[in-house]
Amino acid sequence: MPVANSAVAWTHQSDGSIPWALGLVIVSIGLCPWVAPLLLGLMGMTLSAAQAAAAEVVVVRATGYVFLVWVLAPTAVGLVAGQLLGPAGRRHVGPSLAVASAAALLLLNYANASAALPQIVADPKAAPIFAALLSAAPLPIVGALSGWALAPRVSLSHRARVAWAYSLGMKNTGLARGLAGALLGDAPVAVRVILRVTLLQHGVAGVV
């Protein structure tokens, strides 16, 4: 999955390189329509014509107009507003925007998790919960450590290193959730793993 949009928010809160974070989001989303089907094939998933069409709809929707309207447009508005406010204005509204951003992120994560919550409550067995947790944990941890370790080797600044750590450690789990629904019919195990990746990657980001 491409880099999560929330990686940019974490980068901003940590005074990391916003251009690097935005660039990694844009590049990874641009590659997604080609990379996602290739990886599905490598994992041995032979898709029927209906499944392939459903997967294409999900990927194209998330990487097309939805990306333009909900990611690039607000980013452009924010950049212009920041320039108009100036340094003093940004310092004045910064704390309020940070709270609003955290609230929006919490709401987004709840919305993504809400489809899985009834399944978890209805079948609260310990084994599947721990299995999903163990499956989900390595992804954000390995991603963040890789970004943190690789950046200095290519002579990037500390701010770029922060952006790499967040970007490689955080995946677009909303798109993963949509793709799993299209291909697997909302399989409880898949939903649980994706939900835990969503929660764990923010925990790992907090550690970073």
Side-chain angles (χ1 to χ4, degrees):
M1 291 297 98
V3 176
N5 302 329
S6 53
V8 181
W10 278 101
T11 300
H12 177 257
Q13 293 297 330
S14 304
D15 196 29
S17 173
I18 299 297
W20 261 113
L22 281 172
L24 290 168
V25 169
I26 292 170
V27 168
S28 63
I29 287 180
L31 291 174
C32 188
W34 292 275
V35 173
L38 175 63
L39 290 179
L40 289 171
L42 289 176
M43 288 188 293
M45 291 191 67
T46 303
L47 305 181
S48 67
Q51 286 179 316
E56 183 179 0
V57 168
V58 172
V59 172
V60 170
R61 185 175 59 203
T63 57
Y65 71 90
V66 171
F67 176 64
L68 293 174
V69 172
W70 295 107
V71 178
L72 289 188
T75 300
V77 170
L79 292 172
V80 172
Q83 291 299 316
L84 294 176
L85 287 170
R90 290 197 295 270
R91 283 195 297 271
H92 179 70
V93 301
S96 299
L97 289 178
V99 172
S101 176
L105 191 58
L106 180 63
L107 179 62
L108 177 64
N109 284 330
Y110 173 76
N112 282 334
S114 61
L117 291 176
Q119 298 173 355
I120 294 172
V121 172
D123 185 23
K125 294 178 181 177
I129 291 175
F130 282 112
L133 186 63
L134 291 174
S135 300
L139 183 63
I141 294 172
V142 171
L145 289 175
S146 299
W148 192 258
L150 286 172
R153 297 185 179 277
V154 288
S155 301
L156 292 177
S157 67
H158 177 73
R159 297 184 72 216
R161 189 185 197 185
V162 170
W164 274 42
Y166 286 131
S167 299
L168 296 187
M170 305 189 77
K171 302 301 179 186
N172 190 326
T173 52
L175 177 56
R177 175 76 181 80
L179 203 55
L183 298 180
L184 305 174
D186 291 334
V189 173
V191 173
R192 284 173 175 162
V193 173
I194 294 169
L195 170 59
R196 279 156 180 76
V197 170
T198 302
L199 299 176
L200 285 169
Q201 68 185 10
H202 286 288
V204 172
V207 173
V208 172

